[in-house]
Amino acid sequence: MENSEKKKEINSSVKMKPLSQKQRERMQELCGILDEAGRAYYQEAREIMSNREYDQLYDELAALEKESGVILAGSPTVKVGYEVLSELPKETHESPMLSLDKTKEVEGLKEFLGEKEGVLSWKLDGLTVVLTYRQGKLEKAVTRGNGEIGEIITNNAKTFVNLPHIIPYQGELVIRGEAIIKYSDFEKLNAGMPESQMTYKNPRNLCSGSVRQLNNEITAKRSVNFYAFSLIKAQGVDFENSLSRQFSWLEEQGFQVVEHYMVNADQVEERVSFFEEKIKTYDLPSDGLVLIFEDIAYGLSLGRTAKFPRNGIAFKWADELAQTTLREIEWSPSRTGLINPVAIFEPVELEGTTVSRASVHNISIMEELKLGIGDKITVYKANMIIPQIHENLTRSNQLPIAHSCPACGEKTEIRNENDVKYLYCPNEQCPAKIIKSFTHFVGRDAMNVDGLSEETLEKFIQQGYIHEYGDLFHLDQYEDEIVGMKGFGQRSFDKVRESVEKARNTTLVRLIYSLGIANIGLSNAKMLVRQFDYDLDKLLSATVEEMTEIDGIGEVIANSFAKYFAKEENRERFKRLLAELHIQEEKKGDAQILEGKNFVVTGSVEHFTNRNAVKEWVESLGGKVTGSVTGKTNYLINNDNQSNSSKNKKAKELGIPIITEEEFIQMTGWREE
C-alpha cells in the first residue's frame, strides 16, 4: 500500500464520532452494573435483575461502544483471561525514559516558560507505564523500569479499570501514563485486609506491587486506574503542533488523561495555587506538577541533556512537615571521634515512608533547638530524602550532653571549631572509631571493596581477623571460620576475596582518602596528590608550609595530614598497607592550563557524565570549582547561557564570561572516552 493511501486509511479511522464525557460516564456505569449482575448470577447463585433487563443494558453498552469505537476495561463485551507467570519478561524501551528537571519555586516555572505557552498538569505519584496499540487493540504494556529497560505487564494492564482495550484509531499508537490507585480505593483495600496482615503504607507502594503481579487476577482486584500524560507516537495524525490537541485526541480515543490547563508566565502562579488547594482533597496521589511547552516542535528543538529532556520541567511541592514527639537522643560516634547527636522520635509518615530518626549534626544546633525529651517537634525530609528537624514547638531545653562515649566509656570533650560546638571522644582505641574507619576504608570512593558491611567488619574485628587495613588482604587464612559465620557462606567469602584482590590495584588519591585522615576529603586528597605530581615520596615529605601554599588547602587540613604521618604507628601501618597495593598511574590533564582559574558549573551537562565529572576535569588541569559566583570566579559554565537564572544574572553583573559546555571542551581539549 502506498504511504498516501495508508495515511488516508489511518486518518479515516479517526473520523468516528469522538467519545464524550457523558458517554464515558454512562459506559463506566453500565460496565459496573453488568459486572455486579454477572457476579451475583454466576458466583453467588442469585439474581439482581431479569435477563431482559440485563440484555437491554448490554445492548445499550454495545451500541455506545460501536458508536464511539471505544471498549473500556471491564466491559462484559470482552473477557480478560487470568494468567499466572513465573516472572515478568523485560524489554528495552525504544527511547530512554528520562526524568524531568525540577524546581520548587513558581519563579522557576515562569523562567522556564519565558514568552511561550505551556500545559500545566498533575505529576501523579504511581507507576509509569508505556502502552502500545496496533489496529485499534492494546498490544503491549511495559513499566518504566530503570528508564531503559522495563517489565512487560500487558495482561495486568488489561485489568486496569478505566483503560480502553479497543480504540477507534487503527494506526500504531504509543503513549505514556501513570498507573494509579486512588486514595478512596486504597482505604477500602486496607480496611478489607485481615488484622493479622500488615496494611500497605501508601497508594503508590500498593500500586507498584499490584501492577507487577505475576497473577493478573490479583491486579484486577486492586482497582488500578490509568491516566495518560504523554503521546509518543500516533502515525498519520496531525496534531497541529499542539500538546493540548494531543490530550484532547487521546480523550476522544477513550483514555482518561491527567488534568491539565494551558498557561503563560502571567497565569502560572494562579494556576499553581489552584492545584495546591485542590490537592488537599484530591483522590489521586500527586507529588507535584509538570509543565510542558504547548508548541511541540519548539520543545523538541531544545533537545535533551544526558539526564533531562528540555521541553518540560517538574514542580515539586514544598517539603512535607509532620509533627511528632522526641523520645531520646542517641549519641553516634564516628571514625574521627566526632559524636553526632541523633534524634529518635515517634514514627511518622513522610514522603511515602516511615521515619523515626534524624541527625541533629552538632551541639550548637541541638542547643539552638532547645531540645528536651518529650518535646513536640516538626520534621521533614530535606530534598525529600534526608530526615531533618524543622522546629521544636516545646523548647524545654532539658537535654543533657553525653559525658562519656557510648562505645568505650571515655570522658567526652566539647570542642569549638569555627564557632560551632562539637562533641568528641578522645580515645584513639575507641571501638567505634576502629569499626567506622574500616567502613570508610572499604567505601566506594576509597578502596571500593564490595561485600564488607559495617556489621561484617565489626564481626571480623571482634574475632581478631583484622587489626589494621593491611589485614584485609590476608583474610584467606581465616576462610573456614568466615565461611562458617552466621549470615556468611562460601559464595559471600569468594565475593569478598575477589573484591579485595581487585582493590589491590588502586590510585594514590583513593589511597590517601581511604586512610580517613581528619579533614581530608576526596577533593582535598586530589588537590594534595596533584600538587606533588602524583609522587608519594614528595607528598609524604611535604611540610605544612608547602601544603598551605596550595589554593584550597588551609592550616587545618595541612596540620591534620602532617599530624597523621608524624605518628610512628601510623607510618608503620601505612608501609605495611603499601606493600599490599599496586599504585596505578592516574589520569592527568595535559598541562595545568587552568591553574589559578575558578569555575562555577550550573544546570545540566550533555557530554560529561555529570557536573562532578566536570569538576574533576577542571581540578586535573589545576583549576578549582566553587558553588557560587563571586568576584573571584573566572568562568560560569552553563549550557543555557541565555537564561535569567540567579547565577547567570550574577555573572553578568560582575562581567564574568558565561560559557557553554561545548566552549569549555574547546578551551580544555577534553575528549570523551
Side-chain angles (χ1 to χ4, degrees), residues 16-17 19 23 27 58-71 77 166 168:
M16 193 172 292
K17 185 177 179 181
L19 180 70
Q23 284 177 314
M27 288 167 70
Y58 185 98
D59 291 343
E60 181 186 353
L61 175 61
L64 285 169
E65 290 175 344
K66 185 177 181 180
E67 182 182 352
S68 65
V70 174
I71 300 180
T77 64
I166 297 175

Side-chain angles (χ1 to χ4, degrees), residues 242-257:
S242 166
L243 181 65
S244 55
R245 172 65 189 130
Q246 285 188 345
F247 276 122
S248 299
W249 184 82
L250 285 172
E251 288 182 303
E252 292 168 4
Q253 298 302 306
F255 297 98
Q256 285 191 264
V257 301

Side-chain angles (χ1 to χ4, degrees), residues 321-339:
L321 290 176
Q323 184 174 317
T324 183
T325 302
L326 183 66
R327 282 182 175 175
E328 63 175 302
I329 288 288
E330 179 183 282
W331 299 93
S332 178
S334 70
R335 63 182 171 82
T336 62
L338 176 67
I339 303 176

Side-chain angles (χ1 to χ4, degrees), residues 110-246:
K110 292 180 180 179
E111 183 180 308
F112 171 81
L113 271 184
E115 300 298 319
K116 296 288 184 178
E117 288 185 315
V119 175
L120 188 66
S121 65
W122 292 111
K123 183 177 181 296
L124 297 178
D125 190 20
L127 189 72
T128 299
V129 176
V130 185
L131 303 178
T132 300
Y133 286 75
R134 290 191 178 95
Q135 297 181 331
K137 295 181 179 180
L138 174 62
E139 183 176 279
K140 185 170 57 180
V142 184
T143 66
R144 181 186 187 278
N146 64 4
E148 294 183 358
I149 300 173
E151 294 173 311
I152 300 173
I153 53 148
T154 309
N155 283 313
N156 292 355
K158 288 178 179 178
T159 70
F160 293 174
V161 295
N162 66 335
L163 186 68
H165 288 198
I166 297 175
I167 60 175
Y169 174 67
Q170 296 297 298
E172 182 181 12
L173 172 66
V174 181
I175 63 173
R176 293 174 185 166
E178 203 78 354
I180 285 287
I181 291 179
K182 298 178 181 179
Y183 282 115
S184 54
D185 290 325
F186 172 72
E187 290 166 4
K188 289 176 186 175
L189 287 162
N190 259 347
M193 292 280 289
E195 290 185 8
S196 60
Q197 296 183 26
M198 183 176 291
T199 56
Y200 295 96
K201 291 291 184 185
N202 54 58
R204 187 188 188 285
N205 290 352
L206 174 57
C207 183
S208 179
S210 302
V211 170
R212 300 175 62 252
Q213 285 288 326
L214 297 177
N215 182 350
N216 67 335
E217 186 173 5
I218 298 174
T219 311
K221 296 176 180 178
R222 300 285 176 81
S223 301
V224 180
N225 285 262
F226 177 86
Y227 291 85
F229 61 67
S230 179
L231 192 154
I232 308 303
K233 182 190 296 185
Q235 182 185 5
V237 183
D238 182 9
F239 296 108
E240 302 169 355
N241 196 37
S242 166
L243 181 65
S244 55
R245 172 65 189 130
Q246 285 188 345

